[in-house]
Amino acid sequence: MADHARGPQAGDERRVRILSVDGRRAELALSGEVTGVAAAQIEEVLLDPALQGVMEWTLDLSGVQRLDTICAYALVRPLLTAAPPVAVRVRGASRQARRALHQTGADHLLTFED
């Protein structure tokens, strides 16, 4: 499994990182306050060429203190338009993060794990 972790860059607190990509599976981790400008970070990470063709996603939200609906939508938008539909496991989401993800309308794609 190739490790594509992205750490903090100078002057840039990364709130979303690719932990691993293995063919058609990928794991992403979000952390901290995932609000506002983090939507651009999410979109940038999801455009990484290593993620092309991924059909099974794991989103680790255990480090998220807050997820706003703008960032939740940025996270699931590419998944909603994928053909064929992708499978998404969400791990460690707080009640607030689950609510933000629910508001995106992507519930049919998401499987929540504790």
Side-chain angles (χ1 to χ4, degrees):
M1 186 178 321
D3 185 6
H4 293 271
R6 308 283 195 270
Q9 299 173 3
D12 180 24
E13 180 185 337
R14 301 299 291 180
R15 291 177 180 86
V16 59
R17 299 179 298 131
I18 299 171
L19 295 181
S20 64
V21 180
D22 182 14
R24 298 176 56 87
R25 293 183 216 154
E27 183 171 354
L28 277 67
L30 284 75
S31 61
E33 297 277 328
V34 186
T35 60
V37 297
Q41 291 176 2
I42 291 168
E43 290 173 351
E44 176 187 328
V45 168
L46 292 176
L47 290 174
D48 189 307
L51 297 176
Q52 298 301 313
V54 170
M55 299 306 295
E56 296 178 32
W57 295 81
T58 299
L59 304 177
D60 184 347
L61 303 183
S62 60
V64 172
Q65 285 114 22
R66 182 167 171 245
L67 176 67
D68 70 13
T69 53
I70 293 169
C71 290
Y73 187 71
L75 188 60
V76 300
R77 180 179 33 222
L79 308 178
L80 289 169
T81 60
V86 299
V88 183
R89 293 183 326 198
V90 180
R91 185 179 325 143
S94 67
R95 179 176 289 171
Q96 185 276 327
R98 286 179 187 234
R99 186 173 31 247
L101 288 167
H102 170 73
Q103 291 173 340
T104 68
D107 289 356
H108 65 284
L109 294 175
L110 307 176
T111 301
F112 289 94
E113 301 175 349
D114 291 330

